[in-house]
Amino acid sequence: MGEGVGSVKSNFDVQSSNCSKLITNLQEAQQVLIHYQLLTEKRINGGSQQCFLRNHHRFHDWVADMLSTTPSLTIQVNGFLGLSCGICTANPANLDHLLRSNFSNYVKGTRFQSILHDLLGHGIFNVDGELWFTQRKIASHEFNTRSLKHFISDTVQSQLSNSLIPYLSIACDNRAVIDLQDVLRRFTFDNICNVAFGVDPAWLDSKSVSETSLVSSFVQAFDYAVEVSFNRFMLPLPVIWKIKRLLNIGSEKRYKEAIKIINEYAMNIIRLKEENCRNDDKQEKNQDLLSRFMHSASNLGFLDQDQRRRFLRDIVISFILAGKDSTSTALTWFFWLIAGHARCKRLICEELSATSSEARLGSFSYDDLKKFNYLHAALSESLRLFPPVPINSRLTISDDILSSGTYVGKGWFADYSAYAMGRMKRLWGPDCMEFRPERWLDDDGVFQPRDQFKFPVFHCGPRACLGKEMAYVQMKSIAAAVMYEFEVVAIDGGGCRERMANPPYVLSLLLKMKGGLQIRLKRR
């Protein structure tokens, strides 16, 4: 009997191994068989799959090119083998319809929830209906408080003075070439943890070796989980990742291990916060977002402590997802563009120098930041051209007709490309491919926001990003402090007009710069 069981187990292992190899081959094949067969209103020469292969390195520009040739700025999207169908649009009127006027018909849906549940759980970015509304209501109240805005500004300024500027000063003095994308990624992770949880992981600070090792393990696990989640979306056949998960093999096995690390890290933050709250009689000291959520959610009627902690765990992960890489990605493109546009760089520096701050040089208060109209315009112009999240998606509940007259069927996905919208001449004029911050300023040089459905970088409608102002405070604080102290010299020359025509991005969930941003720093 023992030999029989061993034989069966051996055969099962062999079959599992063969199955794993087959699935791996299918995954590699999906790089050749694009899960999108994009069909415009005119035939694509050579077929959609061949077009994808030729344009894989410039996928978002390829989509923008196709959208721009259609009267409605909208294309139909057929999934692999016709197993799914949807639309992709860059039409502001369609976005208004999708994300506001017919909001209830376009949801995250099962497609999002099944793929992202292990990572995001029932967090605000992965749910609809009452679960979403409850979290949105709490978050909306907290994000609109003046105390939070000043807490965010003060926290960023403190970390700039104590962490980022000293780090960059050492690199400058050593004349070192550094990857600014990686430096900003580490700093903004430290910053979001301070703002969201009141915890400083000190990932940028090499002095804390043991803590850095723990943080690095979490960040690696988190990055891997996001990558696998993106690959799940890109697979031509969803059954592939589901089989791998069932058999606990390959990337899905590693994904499960990564989720365990993520959960342990999040729960440690929650337990630490609970202990601090019990030991601190002055609750007003706890200004971080998690403390605020814990207080606001205290009357939601959880069944037990475990349920409450799971709710808070999903909030922790949602905060990290929202703030970990989006700000650093946006700032990477900003510094790349500024390095290639000397006039814009000069105007920002003049604006910074003209502002008198009571704080020490290079440290700008919340009220100072509000005066930086040209810097705000330059950041917005950078976001227009290089939105951190280039494409977003919804699922259709019932048949519908968009404002452009485009039919959308029940169960179809409805995508919109913020990246493409920033490159539409019909929306931004014939100079849409140019980096021109002045388009955001009135005759008096005061910043003028644009219609959210024309500039959907922070999403639109009821699900518009509540952290928009927080993101601008972070970006303006970091950009102002760095540019006040240093001249950022891009090794590749920066984002001049010629390089902007073929930007070096990676095809992933976020629009990260391929190979990072290699720079040297000079003192001003």
Side-chain angles (χ1 to χ4, degrees):
M1 180 179 293
E3 292 179 359
V5 171
S7 177
V8 170
K9 183 179 184 300
S10 177
N11 289 335
F12 178 78
D13 290 341
V14 170
Q15 291 173 8
S16 295
S17 176
N18 291 337
C19 186
S20 177
K21 292 177 182 178
L22 173 61
I23 292 171
T24 300
N25 290 336
L26 285 171
Q27 277 192 299
E28 292 172 351
Q30 66 97 10
Q31 297 298 326
V32 180
L33 298 174
I34 178 61
H35 90 301
Y36 275 176
Q37 292 179 335
L38 295 169
L39 304 176
T40 65
E41 294 174 19
K42 58 183 180 180
R43 183 177 295 276
I44 301 173
N45 294 329
S48 57
Q49 294 174 10
Q50 291 84 350
C51 285
F52 172 77
L53 289 175
R54 289 197 300 269
N55 291 281
H56 181 269
H57 65 288
R58 58 182 299 274
F59 176 79
H60 297 297
D61 293 278
W62 177 51
V63 172
D65 291 344
M66 289 190 290
L67 286 166
S68 67
T69 64
T70 65
S72 62
L73 299 182
T74 304
I75 56 180
Q76 183 177 330
V77 184
N78 290 337
F80 180 68
L81 298 179
L83 297 177
S84 61
C85 195
I87 59 97
C88 183
T89 188
N91 187 322
N94 286 346
L95 256 71
D96 191 336
H97 184 87
L98 287 169
L99 304 178
R100 187 184 64 83
S101 60
N102 201 12
F103 172 75
S104 61
N105 193 49
Y106 296 92
V107 298
K108 291 286 186 176
T110 55
R111 179 170 174 245
F112 257 89
Q113 291 163 3
S114 63
I115 287 175
L116 296 173
H117 178 75
D118 290 340
L119 177 62
L120 296 181
H122 296 294
I124 191 170
F125 299 125
N126 200 42
V127 291
D128 299 297
E130 189 63 30
L131 272 174
W132 167 78
F133 180 78
T134 299
Q135 294 181 61
R136 178 79 180 190
K137 184 178 179 180
I138 296 173
S140 180
H141 169 73
E142 297 300 344
F143 272 99
N144 286 321
T145 59
R146 182 173 176 81
S147 62
L148 178 62
K149 295 173 184 177
H150 281 275
F151 170 72
I152 292 169
S153 178
D154 293 344
T155 301
V156 176
Q157 293 300 332
S158 174
Q159 286 191 271
L160 283 168
S161 300
N162 298 321
S163 179
L164 182 61
I165 297 304
Y167 182 95
L168 295 179
S169 294
I170 293 172
C172 180
D173 293 342
N174 293 334
R175 299 180 181 179
V177 175
I178 60 172
D179 178 2
L180 187 58
Q181 178 170 253
D182 183 61
V183 171
L184 290 171
R185 178 169 165 263
R186 290 169 177 264
F187 176 75
T188 54
F189 175 73
D190 288 346
N191 186 237
I192 192 62
C193 287
N194 271 275
V195 169
F197 321 125
V199 174
D200 187 2
W203 194 23
L204 190 63
D205 185 3
S206 60
K207 291 181 294 184
S208 182
V209 178
S210 59
E211 182 67 19
T212 300
S213 177
L214 178 64
V215 171
S216 294
S217 296
F218 167 77
V219 172
Q220 290 173 12
F222 195 90
D223 287 347
Y224 185 77
V226 171
E227 178 187 350
V228 171
S229 298
F230 176 76
N231 289 337
R232 284 176 171 184
F233 276 111
M234 292 296 288
L235 281 170
L237 297 173
V239 70
I240 293 175
W241 71 263
K242 292 179 180 179
I243 292 175
K244 292 180 67 178
R245 182 178 64 177
L246 179 65
L247 297 175
N248 195 32
I249 56 176
S251 59
E252 289 295 324
K253 179 181 180 179
R254 295 191 295 274
Y255 177 76
K256 185 177 180 181
E257 294 167 351
I259 293 296
K260 182 179 179 181
I261 294 173
I262 292 169
N263 289 341
E264 289 176 352
Y265 189 85
M267 286 301 179
N268 283 337
I269 289 176
I270 293 167
R271 283 191 287 267
L272 178 63
K273 182 58 58 180
E274 289 173 341
E275 183 178 345
N276 289 342
C277 289
R278 283 194 299 268
N279 296 335
D280 191 355
D281 295 332
K282 298 180 179 180
Q283 294 298 313
E284 67 271 14
K285 288 184 178 180
N286 298 317
Q287 295 292 321
D288 60 89
L289 284 166
L290 181 57
S291 295
R292 293 165 179 264
F293 263 76
M294 290 172 70
H295 177 74
S296 299
S298 59
N299 60 348
L300 291 183
F302 296 107
L303 295 177
D304 51 35
Q305 181 79 326
D306 287 341
Q307 187 186 46
R308 176 177 174 275
R309 284 178 173 170
R310 284 196 300 271
F311 173 80
L312 294 173
R313 176 265 179 211
D314 295 344
I315 288 175
V316 167
I317 299 305
S318 296
F319 280 142
I320 293 176
L321 181 68
K324 175 178 169 290
D325 287 339
S326 55
T327 303
S328 62
T329 299
L331 283 169
T332 298
W333 291 108
F334 167 79
F335 280 112
W336 183 70
L337 288 167
I338 290 299
H341 291 80
R343 185 185 66 85
C344 296
K345 182 194 299 184
R346 175 177 57 80
L347 290 173
I348 292 174
C349 290
E350 289 176 358
E351 184 176 63
L352 300 179
S353 298
T355 301
S356 59
S357 176
E358 295 181 0
R360 66 183 183 85
L361 294 179
S363 180
F364 301 99
S365 68
Y366 179 73
D367 291 330
D368 288 333
L369 296 175
K370 292 191 291 186
K371 301 173 185 176
F372 297 153
N373 285 283
Y374 194 87
L375 176 58
H376 198 117
L379 285 164
S380 298
E381 181 72 345
S382 177
L383 288 167
R384 177 183 72 85
L385 290 165
F386 299 102
V389 182
I391 291 183
N392 217 315
S393 184
R394 287 291 178 271
L395 186 70
T396 310
I397 294 178
S398 302
D399 294 353
D400 194 20
I401 303 293
L402 300 181
S403 300
S404 64
T406 305
Y407 170 77
V408 186
K410 177 182 179 181
W412 286 22
F413 54 86
D415 296 353
Y416 70 87
S417 172
Y419 184 93
M421 293 187 76
R423 287 161 167 71
M424 294 293 115
K425 291 181 179 180
R426 278 178 268 175
L427 303 183
W428 296 97
D431 64 348
C432 65
M433 294 300 295
E434 297 179 17
F435 178 70
R436 194 171 67 83
E438 287 76 10
R439 76 175 78 242
W440 296 85
L441 303 173
D442 64 13
D443 294 339
D444 296 321
V446 177
F447 177 81
Q448 298 297 314
R450 295 300 186 97
D451 175 25
Q452 62 174 329
F453 299 105
K454 181 179 175 180
F455 179 66
V457 174
F458 294 94
H459 206 53
C460 313
R463 284 192 107 123
C465 178
L466 291 169
K468 177 180 177 179
E469 186 170 353
M470 171 180 165
Y472 268 114
V473 167
Q474 287 178 304
M475 290 188 294
K476 290 169 77 172
S477 297
I478 295 168
V482 172
M483 293 186 69
Y484 190 91
E485 296 285 345
F486 309 102
E487 179 183 356
V488 178
V489 181
I491 300 301
D492 70 352
C496 60
R497 181 178 298 183
E498 293 75 18
R499 290 189 178 87
M500 286 173 64
N502 187 26
Y505 55 73
V506 179
L507 185 58
S508 64
L509 187 65
L510 292 176
L511 195 73
K512 294 183 180 180
M513 186 173 289
K514 185 176 182 180
L517 177 55
Q518 308 299 320
I519 65 153
R520 281 194 179 93
L521 296 166
K522 295 181 180 179
R523 296 276 185 186
R524 290 204 179 278

